[in-house]
Amino acid sequence: MGHMSGPLFIRGSVSVPEAELLWRFSRSSGPGGQHVNTSDSQVELRFDLARTQALPPVWKERALERLAGRLTGGVLTVKASEHRSQWRNRETALARMAALLGQATAPPPKARRPTRIPRGINERRLRVKKQRSETKRGRSGGWD
């Protein structure tokens, strides 16, 4: 497998060590020139989420739960083949992996506290509504 420089940072001081990232390269389908058929520009980045020790246990549980549909045997896989250069595809794959893990490990949003509408505002709304309906009622009745 290929090597990338340094660990994958997720959020804060948490990162995935480079040793836990598995790279695979293959020929990419799609557009390209003479060089494209001979270079392995498609990148596949794999990370064993189920077995990693790099993430805090709470984050790991959260991620396993939220990414359940994307995992194959506990392994998260990201592919990138939009660029013609392998290097750019690697960067894209890393960014995608970081974004996925970042979202999957994020704490759940705070519960929304319902706000009360001040009575004055509600009364004003009803008053304006009544005026409007009076205005409109005055319009009908034609000119016989």
Side-chain angles (χ1 to χ4, degrees), residues 64-135:
L64 282 168
E65 200 177 299
R66 292 185 187 165
L67 296 172
R70 284 202 57 148
L71 299 175
T72 323
V75 178
L76 178 62
T77 307
V78 171
K79 276 188 184 158
S81 59
E82 8 337 351
H83 304 293
R84 280 171 58 176
S85 92
Q86 188 195 91
W87 187 248
R88 296 213 11 229
N89 280 332
R90 283 169 152 213
E91 288 179 344
T92 305
L94 264 181
R96 267 190 211 151
M97 180 74 78
L100 264 174
L101 289 172
Q103 285 170 355
T105 57
K110 287 199 169 74
R112 182 184 169 277
R113 284 182 49 209
T115 52
R116 295 252 340 223
I117 298 171
R119 205 169 78 217
I121 290 179
N122 215 6
E123 284 173 357
R124 197 178 110 227
R125 183 179 63 84
L126 293 173
R127 207 170 43 247
V128 169
K129 228 172 133 160
K130 205 164 249 139
Q131 278 175 347
R132 171 83 29 226
S133 79
E134 288 298 320
T135 308

Side-chain angles (χ1 to χ4, degrees), residues 27-39 41 82-85:
R27 293 197 182 145
S28 183
S29 62
Q34 294 95 320
H35 177 62
V36 80
N37 297 330
T38 59
S39 67
S41 61
E82 8 337 351
H83 304 293
R84 280 171 58 176
S85 92

